[in-house]
Structures are given as C-alpha cells and as structure tokens.
Amino acid sequence: GENVEQHPSTLSVQEGDSAVIKCTYSDSASNYFPWYKQELGKRPQLIIDIRSNVGEKKDQRIAVTLNKTAKHFSLHITETQPEDSAVYFCAASTGTASKLTFGTGTRLQVTL
Amino acid sequence: NAGVMQNPRHLVRRRGQEARLRCSPMKGHSHVYWYRQLPEEGLKFMVYLQKENIIDESGMPKERFSAEFPKEGPSILRIQQVVRGDSAAYFCASSSSGSLLEQYFGPGTRLTVT
C-alpha cells in the first residue's frame, strides 16, 4: 500500500520568514496530494491540493510543488504569521473517491 | 451551509462498553470516510462508505469495529467492547460525487476509555 513520509516533524520560523514542508510517497499510482492544517483540538482543514497533471499551484501565501518523477511534493508558506502556527499534514490518494494516506505531520511554530 | 457534523464531540466509555459515533456529511455529499487519530499522530484511514454500501474497509480492525451509512440518517461507527487502546479522536470526512477528490472533515469525536 501507499506510504507517505513527511519532514521535518517540527519547524520553528520567525514571523515573516518562509516555511517549507516536504513529503515523499511510494505508490506511483497516487495522483492527488492535499495538504491539511490542524490547530490544537480542531478538525483538519484542507488548505491546498494538487493533482498529478500539475507541477505547481499557488494560493496567496501558500504554494505546493509536485515532482512525480522523484515522488515528492512540498508545501511552501511565505511571509509566515503567528496564525500559521499549527500541525500540517500532507496526504496522497490514488484516485477519485479513494482513501487518503497521511504523513505523520509537521508542527509549525511561528515566533514573533 | 452546514459542514460535516459529528456527535458526540466527547465520549467516555468504560472498558467493555460499546461506543457509537455518528457522522452527518455535508449537504449534497454522499461519500463518507472514517479516520482515527491517536494522540500526537497522523490520521489513519479506517473505512469508506456510500449510502448503504461499504466501499473500502481495509483500515478497519477485523474485530469489534463496524460501520454503516444507511439510506436515511447519519453514518455510524460502532466499537464494541472498547479497550483502552481505542482511546483516540475519530474523524469523519465527506466528499461529493461531483468532486470526489476533496474530503472535508468534521470536528471529530474524542473517545476516552477508562
């Protein structure tokens, strides 16, 4: 089955700096890669996703890149703010209506 | 536009009791997924259901766990004879037939087994 690895497990950046979180996946059939943000005690929130026919996608301060050959994808957050502090999860799935396999999460701390 | 609803939000059960967790998908969504999150860990897939059908239960423990999504009413995850190791947050997610890829999560049920 699919295996998703995520690094780093914790990340501390100063406000205004950029943050990068990286994930690798094992199943070459995976073609959908969402990112979720989870604040303490809250639900995972879908913040951005990318499909395998696209190499990069941007939404304001958030961008995701995908390298299908190397089977890795990354989340980039620019101009970080304290409210970006949360746990971020990457995930992969092999197609429509299929289960998500999650990475182990990255705890991002944005300090003033 | 109500999101995914789950209840109860917190559930305390003694060892050996049964736990029933309910999930109502977003309006217009007919696909439901259940995930389990242990403390300080990621989410693990358990089961995927459509109305009256279990599509994928590859993540469900073989014993004590069952799930259903009846024609009317919410999806239910049932855990019989709970043990301490069942303590976790259980999240459900839903997706629509028009956009099957995107899964939106409910607030979760935090199960504590004493």
Side-chain angles (χ1 to χ4, degrees):
Chain A
E2 174 66 278
N3 181 48
V4 177
E5 295 192 355
Q6 183 171 348
H7 300 280
S9 57
T10 60
L11 179 60
S12 183
V13 300
Q14 283 199 318
E15 184 180 7
D17 287 350
S18 295
V20 180
I21 302 170
K22 298 182 179 181
C23 290
T24 60
Y25 62 98
S26 61
D27 190 345
S28 55
S30 288
N31 58 11
Y32 174 65
F33 307 92
W35 287 86
Y36 286 85
K37 174 184 180 182
Q38 188 178 30
E39 296 175 35
L40 188 63
K42 301 282 181 66
R43 75 185 74 196
Q45 281 187 294
L46 178 64
I47 56 171
I48 195 168
D49 57 16
I50 190 167
R51 287 149 175 78
S52 60
N53 59 346
V54 175
E56 183 174 356
K57 183 178 178 181
K58 247 183 161 179
D59 182 4
Q60 298 183 353
R61 297 187 297 109
I62 294 174
V64 57
T65 58
L66 171 64
N67 183 327
K68 282 187 66 179
T69 304
K71 292 197 200 137
H72 65 69
F73 56 113
S74 301
L75 178 71
H76 304 252
I77 306 174
T78 58
E79 300 172 25
T80 53
Q81 300 167 3
E83 50 266 39
D84 294 329
S85 296
V87 179
Y88 291 80
F89 292 98
C90 62
S93 82
T94 56
T96 56
S98 102
K99 64 185 180 186
L100 293 173
T101 300
F102 282 86
T104 48
T106 296
R107 185 175 301 277
L108 173 65
Q109 179 82 37
V110 179
T111 57
L112 295 171
Chain B
N1 182 18
V4 180
M5 310 283 281
Q6 287 187 252
N7 67 80
R9 295 291 306 277
H10 300 273
L11 183 60
V12 179
R13 284 287 177 265
R14 291 200 181 112
R15 278 181 299 170
Q17 291 185 319
E18 179 179 287
R20 281 190 183 226
L21 288 62
R22 286 175 288 278
C23 169
S24 296
M26 284 178 72
K27 189 176 180 180
H29 287 194
S30 58
H31 303 258
V32 167
Y33 309 78
W34 286 92
Y35 294 85
R36 177 164 62 177
Q37 186 175 36
L38 295 169
E40 303 295 319
E41 291 191 16
L43 295 106
K44 303 287 187 192
F45 168 78
M46 299 181 75
V47 62
Y48 161 40
L49 311 101
Q50 293 179 31
K51 286 283 186 182
E52 300 185 281
N53 281 307
I54 296 174
I55 308 301
D56 180 355
E57 56 182 347
S58 58
M60 285 277 270
K62 294 284 183 274
E63 296 176 353
R64 301 189 297 109
F65 285 72
S66 62
E68 62 177 4
F69 190 13
K71 189 176 179 182
E72 301 290 338
S75 175
I76 295 174
L77 180 68
R78 184 180 174 209
I79 311 172
Q80 294 179 292
Q81 298 171 357
V82 296
V83 301
R84 288 224 172 101
D86 296 333
S87 295
Y90 292 83
F91 290 93
C92 81
S94 71
S95 64
S96 72
S97 297
S99 181
L100 289 168
L101 288 173
E102 296 160 2
Q103 295 183 23
Y104 295 93
F105 281 80
T109 293
R110 277 149 186 85
L111 173 65
T112 302
V113 179
T114 61

Short mmCIF file of all heavy atoms in Angstrom, two decimals, chain A residues 40-72:
data_model
loop_
_atom_site.label_atom_id
_atom_site.label_comp_id
_atom_site.label_asym_id
_atom_site.label_seq_id
_atom_site.Cartn_x
_atom_site.Cartn_y
_atom_site.Cartn_z
N LEU A 40 -4.83 22.92 17.35
CA LEU A 40 -4.99 22.06 18.52
C LEU A 40 -6.46 21.83 18.85
O LEU A 40 -7.21 22.78 19.03
CB LEU A 40 -4.26 22.69 19.72
CG LEU A 40 -4.17 21.82 20.96
CD1 LEU A 40 -3.35 20.56 20.67
CD2 LEU A 40 -3.55 22.59 22.12
N GLY A 41 -6.85 20.57 18.88
CA GLY A 41 -8.21 20.22 19.24
C GLY A 41 -9.25 20.48 18.16
O GLY A 41 -10.45 20.36 18.41
N LYS A 42 -8.79 20.84 16.96
CA LYS A 42 -9.73 21.18 15.90
C LYS A 42 -9.69 20.13 14.76
O LYS A 42 -8.88 19.21 14.77
CB LYS A 42 -9.38 22.56 15.31
CG LYS A 42 -9.41 23.69 16.32
CD LYS A 42 -10.83 24.11 16.59
CE LYS A 42 -10.92 25.27 17.57
NZ LYS A 42 -10.34 26.51 17.04
N ARG A 43 -10.56 20.31 13.80
CA ARG A 43 -10.61 19.41 12.66
C ARG A 43 -9.49 19.73 11.66
O ARG A 43 -9.06 20.88 11.57
CB ARG A 43 -11.96 19.55 11.95
CG ARG A 43 -12.11 20.83 11.11
CD ARG A 43 -13.49 20.98 10.53
NE ARG A 43 -14.47 21.37 11.54
CZ ARG A 43 -15.79 21.28 11.37
NH1 ARG A 43 -16.28 20.80 10.25
NH2 ARG A 43 -16.61 21.66 12.32
N PRO A 44 -9.02 18.76 10.89
CA PRO A 44 -8.10 19.06 9.78
C PRO A 44 -8.84 19.89 8.73
O PRO A 44 -9.96 19.57 8.34
CB PRO A 44 -7.74 17.68 9.24
CG PRO A 44 -8.08 16.73 10.34
CD PRO A 44 -9.25 17.32 11.04
N GLN A 45 -8.18 20.96 8.28
CA GLN A 45 -8.78 21.83 7.27
C GLN A 45 -7.97 21.74 5.99
O GLN A 45 -6.74 21.94 6.01
CB GLN A 45 -8.77 23.28 7.76
CG GLN A 45 -9.87 23.61 8.75
CD GLN A 45 -9.90 25.10 9.04
OE1 GLN A 45 -8.96 25.62 9.62
NE2 GLN A 45 -10.96 25.76 8.64
N LEU A 46 -8.65 21.50 4.89
CA LEU A 46 -8.00 21.45 3.58
C LEU A 46 -7.55 22.86 3.20
O LEU A 46 -8.37 23.77 3.13
CB LEU A 46 -8.98 20.89 2.55
CG LEU A 46 -8.50 20.82 1.10
CD1 LEU A 46 -7.33 19.84 0.97
CD2 LEU A 46 -9.64 20.40 0.17
N ILE A 47 -6.23 23.05 2.98
CA ILE A 47 -5.75 24.39 2.67
C ILE A 47 -5.31 24.51 1.21
O ILE A 47 -5.39 25.60 0.62
CB ILE A 47 -4.60 24.82 3.60
CG1 ILE A 47 -3.43 23.82 3.58
CG2 ILE A 47 -5.11 25.02 5.02
CD1 ILE A 47 -2.19 24.31 4.31
N ILE A 48 -4.86 23.45 0.62
CA ILE A 48 -4.46 23.47 -0.79
C ILE A 48 -4.28 22.05 -1.25
O ILE A 48 -4.02 21.15 -0.43
CB ILE A 48 -3.17 24.31 -1.00
CG1 ILE A 48 -2.95 24.64 -2.49
CG2 ILE A 48 -1.96 23.59 -0.42
CD1 ILE A 48 -1.89 25.70 -2.73
N ASP A 49 -4.44 21.81 -2.54
CA ASP A 49 -4.21 20.47 -3.07
C ASP A 49 -3.64 20.59 -4.48
O ASP A 49 -3.67 21.65 -5.10
CB ASP A 49 -5.49 19.64 -3.07
CG ASP A 49 -6.64 20.29 -3.85
OD1 ASP A 49 -6.38 21.21 -4.64
OD2 ASP A 49 -7.79 19.87 -3.66
N ILE A 50 -3.07 19.49 -4.94
CA ILE A 50 -2.51 19.49 -6.29
C ILE A 50 -2.77 18.13 -6.92
O ILE A 50 -2.74 17.10 -6.25
CB ILE A 50 -0.99 19.83 -6.25
CG1 ILE A 50 -0.46 20.08 -7.67
CG2 ILE A 50 -0.19 18.74 -5.56
CD1 ILE A 50 0.91 20.74 -7.69
N ARG A 51 -3.04 18.14 -8.20
CA ARG A 51 -3.27 16.92 -8.95
C ARG A 51 -2.04 16.59 -9.77
O ARG A 51 -1.23 17.48 -10.06
CB ARG A 51 -4.50 17.06 -9.84
CG ARG A 51 -5.81 17.03 -9.05
CD ARG A 51 -6.89 17.87 -9.69
NE ARG A 51 -8.17 17.77 -9.03
CZ ARG A 51 -8.51 18.39 -7.90
NH1 ARG A 51 -7.64 19.16 -7.30
NH2 ARG A 51 -9.71 18.24 -7.38
N SER A 52 -1.92 15.34 -10.19
CA SER A 52 -0.66 14.89 -10.78
C SER A 52 -0.37 15.49 -12.14
O SER A 52 0.75 15.38 -12.64
CB SER A 52 -0.63 13.37 -10.88
OG SER A 52 -1.69 12.92 -11.70
N ASN A 53 -1.34 16.14 -12.76
CA ASN A 53 -1.09 16.74 -14.07
C ASN A 53 -0.58 18.17 -13.96
O ASN A 53 -0.42 18.87 -14.97
CB ASN A 53 -2.37 16.70 -14.92
CG ASN A 53 -3.52 17.43 -14.26
OD1 ASN A 53 -3.47 17.75 -13.08
ND2 ASN A 53 -4.56 17.70 -15.02
N VAL A 54 -0.29 18.60 -12.73
CA VAL A 54 0.17 19.96 -12.48
C VAL A 54 1.45 19.90 -11.67
O VAL A 54 1.59 19.07 -10.78
CB VAL A 54 -0.91 20.76 -11.71
CG1 VAL A 54 -0.40 22.14 -11.33
CG2 VAL A 54 -2.18 20.85 -12.54
N GLY A 55 2.41 20.80 -11.95
CA GLY A 55 3.65 20.79 -11.22
C GLY A 55 3.69 21.74 -10.04
O GLY A 55 4.45 21.54 -9.09
N GLU A 56 2.86 22.79 -10.10
CA GLU A 56 2.87 23.78 -9.04
C GLU A 56 1.51 24.46 -8.97
O GLU A 56 0.83 24.63 -9.98
CB GLU A 56 3.96 24.84 -9.30
CG GLU A 56 4.09 25.86 -8.20
CD GLU A 56 5.26 26.82 -8.40
OE1 GLU A 56 6.02 26.64 -9.37
OE2 GLU A 56 5.40 27.76 -7.60
N LYS A 57 1.15 24.83 -7.76
CA LYS A 57 -0.12 25.54 -7.56
C LYS A 57 0.07 26.55 -6.45
O LYS A 57 0.72 26.25 -5.44
CB LYS A 57 -1.22 24.54 -7.22
CG LYS A 57 -2.60 25.14 -7.06
CD LYS A 57 -3.61 24.04 -6.78
CE LYS A 57 -5.00 24.59 -6.57
NZ LYS A 57 -5.98 23.50 -6.28
N LYS A 58 -0.51 27.74 -6.64
CA LYS A 58 -0.34 28.80 -5.65
C LYS A 58 -1.68 29.36 -5.22
O LYS A 58 -2.62 29.46 -6.01
CB LYS A 58 0.48 29.94 -6.28
CG LYS A 58 1.84 30.18 -5.71
CD LYS A 58 2.48 31.36 -6.39
CE LYS A 58 3.61 31.89 -5.54
NZ LYS A 58 4.29 33.02 -6.15
N ASP A 59 -1.75 29.72 -3.93
CA ASP A 59 -2.93 30.39 -3.42
C ASP A 59 -2.47 31.38 -2.36
O ASP A 59 -2.21 31.02 -1.22
CB ASP A 59 -3.91 29.37 -2.81
CG ASP A 59 -5.19 30.02 -2.31
OD1 ASP A 59 -5.36 31.24 -2.50
OD2 ASP A 59 -6.03 29.30 -1.74
N GLN A 60 -2.30 32.61 -2.77
CA GLN A 60 -1.83 33.70 -1.92
C GLN A 60 -0.47 33.33 -1.33
O GLN A 60 0.49 33.22 -2.08
CB GLN A 60 -2.87 34.00 -0.84
CG GLN A 60 -4.20 34.46 -1.47
CD GLN A 60 -5.26 34.83 -0.43
OE1 GLN A 60 -5.09 34.64 0.79
NE2 GLN A 60 -6.35 35.39 -0.89
N ARG A 61 -0.37 33.16 -0.03
CA ARG A 61 0.95 32.90 0.58
C ARG A 61 1.34 31.43 0.58
O ARG A 61 2.40 31.06 1.07
CB ARG A 61 0.95 33.41 2.03
CG ARG A 61 0.76 34.91 2.17
CD ARG A 61 0.94 35.36 3.62
NE ARG A 61 -0.07 34.78 4.50
CZ ARG A 61 0.18 33.83 5.40
NH1 ARG A 61 1.41 33.35 5.57
NH2 ARG A 61 -0.80 33.38 6.17
N ILE A 62 0.47 30.60 0.07
CA ILE A 62 0.71 29.15 0.11
C ILE A 62 0.93 28.62 -1.30
O ILE A 62 0.22 29.01 -2.24
CB ILE A 62 -0.50 28.43 0.75
CG1 ILE A 62 -0.63 28.83 2.22
CG2 ILE A 62 -0.38 26.92 0.63
CD1 ILE A 62 -1.88 28.29 2.88
N ALA A 63 1.91 27.75 -1.44
CA ALA A 63 2.16 27.12 -2.73
C ALA A 63 2.52 25.65 -2.50
O ALA A 63 3.05 25.29 -1.44
CB ALA A 63 3.29 27.82 -3.48
N VAL A 64 2.20 24.83 -3.46
CA VAL A 64 2.57 23.42 -3.39
C VAL A 64 3.24 23.04 -4.71
O VAL A 64 2.82 23.49 -5.78
CB VAL A 64 1.34 22.52 -3.10
CG1 VAL A 64 0.26 22.71 -4.14
CG2 VAL A 64 1.75 21.07 -2.99
N THR A 65 4.31 22.27 -4.62
CA THR A 65 5.01 21.79 -5.80
C THR A 65 5.00 20.27 -5.80
O THR A 65 4.97 19.64 -4.74
CB THR A 65 6.47 22.28 -5.84
OG1 THR A 65 7.14 21.83 -4.66
CG2 THR A 65 6.52 23.80 -5.91
N LEU A 66 5.01 19.68 -6.98
CA LEU A 66 4.96 18.23 -7.13
C LEU A 66 6.01 17.79 -8.14
O LEU A 66 6.09 18.34 -9.24
CB LEU A 66 3.57 17.80 -7.61
CG LEU A 66 3.41 16.33 -8.03
CD1 LEU A 66 3.61 15.40 -6.84
CD2 LEU A 66 2.03 16.11 -8.66
N ASN A 67 6.81 16.80 -7.76
CA ASN A 67 7.78 16.18 -8.65
C ASN A 67 7.40 14.71 -8.75
O ASN A 67 7.71 13.91 -7.88
CB ASN A 67 9.19 16.35 -8.11
CG ASN A 67 10.25 15.78 -9.04
OD1 ASN A 67 10.02 14.78 -9.73
ND2 ASN A 67 11.41 16.40 -9.08
N LYS A 68 6.70 14.37 -9.83
CA LYS A 68 6.20 12.99 -9.99
C LYS A 68 7.33 12.00 -10.18
O LYS A 68 7.27 10.85 -9.72
CB LYS A 68 5.24 12.92 -11.18
CG LYS A 68 3.85 13.43 -10.89
CD LYS A 68 2.94 13.17 -12.05
CE LYS A 68 2.71 11.69 -12.25
NZ LYS A 68 1.79 11.42 -13.38
N THR A 69 8.38 12.42 -10.87
CA THR A 69 9.50 11.50 -11.12
C THR A 69 10.15 11.07 -9.82
O THR A 69 10.45 9.90 -9.60
CB THR A 69 10.53 12.18 -12.03
OG1 THR A 69 9.87 12.61 -13.23
CG2 THR A 69 11.66 11.22 -12.38
N ALA A 70 10.36 12.06 -8.94
CA ALA A 70 11.01 11.78 -7.67
C ALA A 70 10.01 11.36 -6.60
O ALA A 70 10.41 10.98 -5.50
CB ALA A 70 11.78 13.01 -7.21
N LYS A 71 8.73 11.44 -6.91
CA LYS A 71 7.65 11.10 -5.96
C LYS A 71 7.77 11.94 -4.69
O LYS A 71 7.75 11.40 -3.57
CB LYS A 71 7.69 9.61 -5.60
CG LYS A 71 7.33 8.69 -6.77
CD LYS A 71 6.99 7.31 -6.25
CE LYS A 71 7.14 6.31 -7.39
NZ LYS A 71 7.80 5.09 -7.01
N HIS A 72 7.90 13.24 -4.87
CA HIS A 72 7.82 14.08 -3.69
C HIS A 72 7.08 15.37 -3.99
O HIS A 72 6.98 15.82 -5.14
CB HIS A 72 9.19 14.31 -3.02
CG HIS A 72 10.18 15.07 -3.82
ND1 HIS A 72 10.07 16.42 -4.12
CD2 HIS A 72 11.37 14.69 -4.34
CE1 HIS A 72 11.13 16.81 -4.80
NE2 HIS A 72 11.92 15.79 -4.96
#
